[in-house]
Amino acid sequence: MSDTQQSPEQAAVRGLLRAVATELGHEVAPGWQAAAAAAPRHRFLPDLIWTSRDGHYRPLNRGDDPQGWFAAAYTVEPVVTQVNDGAPGEDDELWPSSSASHPSVVFRMLEAAGLRPGASVLHIGTGTGWDSGMISHRLGDTNLVTVEVDHALADRARARLKDLGYTPTVVCGDGRLGWEPAAPYDRTLATCSVRRIPAAWIAQTRPGGLIVTPWDNPWICWGLLRLTVGKDGTAVGRYSPHSAFMLMRTQRQDLRIHGDVVSEDHRPDESTSVLPRRDVVAGNAAFAIGHRLGDVWHTWQDEPVPGVADRLWVATCDGTSWAAVDHDGREEDRFAVYQHGPRRLWDEVEEAHRWWDDHGRPGSDRFGLTVTPDGAHHGWLDTSADSWPIRGR
C-alpha cells in the first residue's frame, strides 16, 4: 500500500521511520516499527507545543494551526511540550523543561538497551509517554514502570497511554530513587540526562542488567552512556556520542557568574594564553575536558568591558574558583587570562586539552565510566585500568 492510500497518521508514521532510518544508517527494527505505528507520536503531544526560531520559543496551538501542529509532531526533531516547568511568567524568557525527544535518539537508545519481550524495565522521565507507549507495546505494559517528577506530566501521560490501551505503572516521583517495589529490573532506561548515576538505579538493576542514560557534564551536555551492573554493585560502561537531553530536575544547578561566583572584591591573578578559547568548548575536545575536570562549567559574555570583544568565563560548580579569558577582537593567538580562587581553572583547562591532544584527540566512544559501590565515579580512556576520579556530587 502506498502512502497516498494510507491514512495521514499511517503515512506520517512511515515517513518518520524512513527519516529515522536515514539518520541511524539502517532500518528501524520491525518490532519497533510496529510499536511506533501502534503508539503514534502525535497521540502523546499536548495541544500546545513550542517551536524554536532564532533561539526563541514560540507557542504553536493545535486549535489555531492543526496542520502545522501535526507536521511538527512528525519532524525528526524534539518537540518542546512544556516551558519553565509549566509555570512561565508573563515577562519570563521561555526555556524548555519537557519535550518529546528526538526520534532518532529515542530509537538509538531503545536499540542500545537491547529490549526484548518479557524484559522488565524501569523508565526514568516519562515526559509525554511516547517512549512508554512503544515499550509497553513491545514488552507488555506489566513489565514497565515509568517515573515522572512532574505531576501534570505524569497525569497526562497516564491518560494518553490509557487511551491507547496501555496501563504500565506510572509513578509520580523523584527519578533518582527509581521504584523499589518492582525491582529488580533487567533494564533501566532514562530519557533525561544525569551528571551522576543514582545509587538506586544500580541497586534496582539486576546483576548483568543494563543502565542506558544520556550523560550531562557541566562543561558539555551530550553523550549516551551504557553501563553493565556487576554482582558487586559496580557499574561499568562506555559512551557513544548520540544524545543530548534535558537534565534531571533534581540534579539542576543554577549559578550566575555575576552575583553567585564573581565578587567586586576579588583580585585575580593575570596572565596570557595562546590556547584558542573556542576550541575547548565544542566537539571531542570539550567532551574530554569535561571528563577530566568534572565539576567545571563555562559561559560567554559579549563586550563585558570596553576594549574586550567577548569573554569566556570558567567556574567551579561550588562557585569558589573562576577564570576569565578575554579576546580584544583583534589578536587571534593571544588572550588575556584572569584567575581567582584555590584552583587555577584555566591552567586546568590547558592541561586537560594537552592531555587530549597527547592521547590522539580521542572521540567520546573511547571514553568510559566506572561507578563503584560507594558511589565514586571514575572516568577512563580505552580501558578502566587507567582511570581518574570525576569530581562532582
Side-chain angles (χ1 to χ4, degrees), residues 129-147:
W130 182 48
D131 303 33
S132 296
M134 290 194 293
I135 294 171
S136 292
H137 182 84
R138 182 81 190 276
L139 306 186
D141 51 25
T142 59
N143 291 319
L144 174 64
V145 173
T146 180
V147 183

Side-chain angles (χ1 to χ4, degrees), residues 105-352:
V105 177
V106 168
F107 286 105
R108 198 181 298 276
M109 292 182 66
L110 294 172
E111 287 181 355
L115 300 179
R116 298 290 184 270
S120 57
V121 178
L122 171 63
H123 175 221
I124 307 298
T126 312
T128 64
W130 182 48
D131 303 33
S132 296
M134 290 194 293
I135 294 171
S136 292
H137 182 84
R138 182 81 190 276
L139 306 186
D141 51 25
T142 59
N143 291 319
L144 174 64
V145 173
T146 180
V147 183
E148 171 57 52
V149 70
D150 186 299
H151 282 276
L153 295 180
D155 290 344
R156 184 186 301 127
R158 188 183 294 109
R160 298 297 170 90
L161 287 163
K162 187 176 180 180
D163 287 345
L164 289 170
Y166 302 122
T167 56
T169 300
V170 180
V171 176
C172 183
D174 185 347
R176 290 180 305 172
L177 305 179
W179 184 245
E180 198 277 333
Y185 304 93
D186 298 306
R187 300 289 187 268
T188 294
L189 177 66
T191 45
C192 56
S193 62
V194 293
R195 292 181 174 175
R196 311 292 284 184
I197 302 300
W201 294 8
I202 298 175
Q204 293 174 23
T205 303
R206 69 175 77 252
L210 299 178
I211 298 172
V212 177
T213 182
W215 180 257
D216 184 284
N217 182 277
W219 193 260
I220 188 168
C221 58
W222 57 266
L224 182 62
L225 184 59
R226 185 177 187 265
L227 299 168
T228 300
V229 175
K231 293 181 180 179
D232 64 349
T234 299
V236 182
R238 290 182 175 272
Y239 296 92
S240 64
H242 310 288
S243 166
F245 278 72
M246 296 174 192
L247 183 64
M248 177 180 282
R249 293 189 188 185
T250 49
Q251 291 191 0
R252 286 179 187 167
Q253 186 173 30
D254 185 19
L255 281 179
R256 299 164 299 166
I257 283 291
H258 299 291
D260 296 326
V261 179
V262 179
S263 192
E264 290 291 337
D265 61 354
H266 288 172
R267 297 293 179 264
D269 296 331
E270 300 181 24
S271 59
T272 60
S273 175
V274 297
L275 176 62
R277 303 150 313 133
R278 296 190 185 277
D279 287 1
V280 305
V281 297
N284 290 328
F287 191 88
I289 290 167
H291 276 70
R292 295 294 287 182
L293 302 187
D295 61 344
V296 178
W297 57 284
H298 64 82
T299 189
W300 292 92
Q301 185 179 11
D302 291 327
E303 299 181 347
V305 294
V308 176
D310 58 59
R311 172 175 289 167
L312 172 64
W313 288 101
V314 180
T316 54
C317 291
D318 64 7
T320 60
S321 297
W322 60 265
V325 188
D326 287 356
H327 180 217
D328 62 9
R330 298 183 301 276
E331 287 194 85
E332 295 297 335
D333 58 357
R334 187 166 296 275
F335 309 97
V337 177
Y338 305 89
Q339 301 187 85
H340 175 82
R343 292 170 61 181
R344 291 297 181 259
L345 291 186
W346 189 248
D347 295 349
E348 291 187 21
V349 170
E350 290 188 321
E351 173 57 33

